[in-house]
Amino acid sequence: MTVTIARRAIIAAPFLAVGLARAQGGWKPGRPVTMIVPFAAGSGTDTVARTLAALLERDWGVQVVVDNRPGANGAIAAVATARAAPDGQTVMITTNSPHGATPALMRQPTYDPIADFTPLSRLGTYIFVFAVNEQVPVRSMPEFLALARARPGQLTCASGNATGVVGAAMLNRIGNVDVTHVPYRSSPPAMTDVIAGRVTSMFADVAASRAFLNEGKLRPLGITSAARTPLFPEWPTLSEVGLPGFELLSFMGAVGPARMPEEVVGGWNAAIRRVWDQPDTVRRLGEFGIEKVTSTPAEFGSFIREQVTFWGQQARAAGLEPE
């Protein structure tokens, strides 16, 4: 299933086919469904996936089993999903890691983020915040940058996903600093070490870190989006406070293996919309720091293509070499 960058850029047929398909909401699974999550239990992606799984169980009347497959910035989960039968019984809750940055970070990609998958629906936009350990003697991003310049190579930035990898590189490039990147298999262990003071900082998703932010164990310095969010209007963007032009859009969505039947795709999309558009669901997602989004399969397919291009550009601009 290994592909080249050139082939990945031109293969869009599965998305086009889904885009032409008429949405049909009549299909539903007749036996338990597996929902693959590319990050560990306790991560933001896992939290939201379990919320969706519980809602779908109630809607469909069948069990939805969450299967965490962390590692390789989502590539392990992506390969497992791509190899599954396209019958609607296995889907993946993807993000901008496996369907954005990760392919650009791999010298020999093990999957094609476009050709190997069927888009089902967008689910939301993450809020990522750059946060430091409570003992770090800074209370703003300008103070952090000043400290980093005074101590080149001594401050550290943990990552547990591709957002963190690219974010750390952009921090150094745009901020003209030398902060040492410390990669982790997933966000929860990275956050544990930041809270314990073994690592200075990280780009943390609010879904996983909000309790620690509220308790003061993590100190937020700025968010990665281009504009402030109404969910946390007091938090400035990093672009506002010393990193001009800094922007990383972190998204979540549902995909299945390539060549899923039209009626199965329609059934998944209709079910996601039914449970996701409920006012109580929107409120709960907001508490996790997730701005709810839904889409047609075709719209999500177009969005993924744009994100693969965007994250590839960001990785190259940050000077990251494929590994």
Side-chain angles (χ1 to χ4, degrees):
M1 199 184 314
T2 302
V3 294
T4 63
I5 296 296
R7 175 173 171 255
R8 190 168 64 243
I10 64 173
I11 297 177
F15 285 170
L16 294 175
V18 172
L20 295 173
R22 179 174 56 88
Q24 299 179 25
W27 177 90
K28 71 174 186 178
R31 63 184 191 277
V33 167
T34 297
M35 183 178 288
I36 295 177
V37 176
F39 303 112
S43 63
T45 307
D46 175 76
T47 299
V48 178
R50 291 180 187 275
T51 299
L52 177 60
L55 292 169
L56 289 175
E57 283 187 345
R58 189 183 312 160
D59 184 83
W60 278 335
V62 301
Q63 185 180 16
V64 180
V65 179
V66 175
D67 180 7
N68 296 90
R69 301 281 189 99
N73 289 320
I76 292 173
V79 170
T81 304
R83 291 176 177 172
D87 56 5
Q89 297 299 134
T90 302
V91 301
M92 173 183 172
I93 303 305
T94 193
T95 70
N96 51 284
S97 288
H99 277 87
T102 298
L105 299 176
M106 302 174 74
R107 188 176 301 277
Q108 294 184 319
T110 54
Y111 66 96
D112 187 312
I114 297 173
D116 288 343
F117 300 90
T118 300
L120 302 175
S121 176
R122 281 186 70 183
L123 295 173
T125 301
Y126 280 97
I127 297 171
F128 266 78
V129 59
F130 182 71
V132 297
N133 171 273
E134 62 179 337
Q135 299 301 321
V136 179
V138 301
R139 294 195 171 273
S140 68
M141 197 64 197
E143 290 181 358
F144 178 88
L145 294 173
L147 183 64
R149 289 167 187 145
R151 304 178 184 176
Q154 296 181 38
L155 302 188
T156 50
C157 182
S159 72
N161 49 45
T163 299
V165 174
V166 177
M170 291 177 66
L171 168 66
N172 282 332
R173 178 177 62 87
I174 299 176
N176 192 28
V177 293
D178 179 16
V179 175
T180 301
H181 174 224
V182 183
Y184 287 78
R185 184 179 175 85
S186 195
S187 291
M191 196 175 307
T192 297
D193 277 4
V194 175
I195 292 169
R198 289 185 284 270
V199 184
T200 309
S201 63
M202 73 177 294
F203 288 88
D205 62 85
V206 175
S209 63
R210 186 170 184 182
F212 303 115
L213 291 162
N214 289 341
E215 294 168 4
K217 294 180 180 179
L218 291 175
R219 182 176 299 139
L221 300 185
I223 58 175
T224 63
S225 56
R228 294 197 183 200
T229 171
L231 295 176
F232 306 101
E234 70 278 15
W235 290 352
T237 68
L238 292 176
S239 185
E240 290 179 65
V241 289
L243 298 175
F246 193 106
E247 178 186 5
L248 287 178
L249 173 65
S250 303
F251 69 88
M252 175 186 289
V255 297
R259 297 177 296 281
M260 287 176 66
E262 175 183 338
E263 65 272 14
V264 177
V265 174
W268 266 100
N269 185 267
I272 289 172
R273 286 174 178 268
R274 282 195 303 271
V275 303
W276 224 231
D277 289 341
Q278 298 170 6
D280 187 57
T281 303
V282 176
R283 178 189 61 77
R284 290 171 64 189
L285 291 174
E287 291 174 353
F288 297 147
I290 303 290
E291 296 176 346
K292 190 270 301 184
V293 180
T294 54
S295 70
T296 67
E299 288 168 343
F300 189 35
S302 296
F303 180 81
I304 289 175
R305 289 196 297 274
E306 293 169 358
Q307 290 300 303
V308 169
T309 299
F310 170 80
W311 282 89
Q313 292 171 342
Q314 293 300 320
R316 288 191 295 274
L320 292 172
E321 293 294 330
E323 297 180 358

